[in-house]
Amino acid sequence: MTNVSESVDWEHMTPARLDRHRFIGQLRSGAILDSHLRQRKQNLMCDADDIVTVMYRRADGRMRLNRSFTAINVLEEQS
């Protein structure tokens, strides 16, 4: 049996709505991080273990990927 989760439009979601969603991101180093998003501050999202800032909310309300990442896929799946 295969589990398939749809991707979400993370750029247009609020940090509160992104909280607990699973993500798979590629770091500039080439490493892959598979974790869940956690809202740490009003406009800041980190991974579940608080190792790295994943994304932040810009003044225009859109979410922006942190420079440490080259790509990300945020899934509908939540923890």
Side-chain angles (χ1 to χ4, degrees), residues 13 17 24 26 28 35-36 39 41 53 60 65 71 74:
M13 293 174 72
R17 286 193 54 217
I24 301 167
Q26 182 172 9
R28 292 208 180 275
S35 186
H36 288 85
Q39 185 176 3
K41 293 184 180 177
T53 298
D60 66 5
L65 196 57
V74 179

Side-chain angles (χ1 to χ4, degrees), residues 1-2 5-6 8 14 18-19 24 26-27 38 41 43 46 49-50 52 54 57 64-65 70 73-74 79:
M1 178 181 233
T2 302
S5 293
E6 289 189 38
V8 298
T14 64
L18 285 167
D19 193 42
I24 301 167
Q26 182 172 9
L27 296 161
R38 295 289 186 254
K41 293 184 180 177
N43 293 319
C46 296
D49 294 322
D50 247 354
V52 65
V54 179
R57 190 172 186 186
R64 181 72 152 182
L65 196 57
T70 58
N73 188 9
V74 179
S79 63

Side-chain angles (χ1 to χ4, degrees), residues 31-48:
I32 302 295
L33 182 59
D34 185 342
S35 186
H36 288 85
L37 292 168
R38 295 289 186 254
Q39 185 176 3
R40 295 297 179 214
K41 293 184 180 177
Q42 183 176 352
N43 293 319
L44 190 67
M45 303 300 298
C46 296
D47 68 291

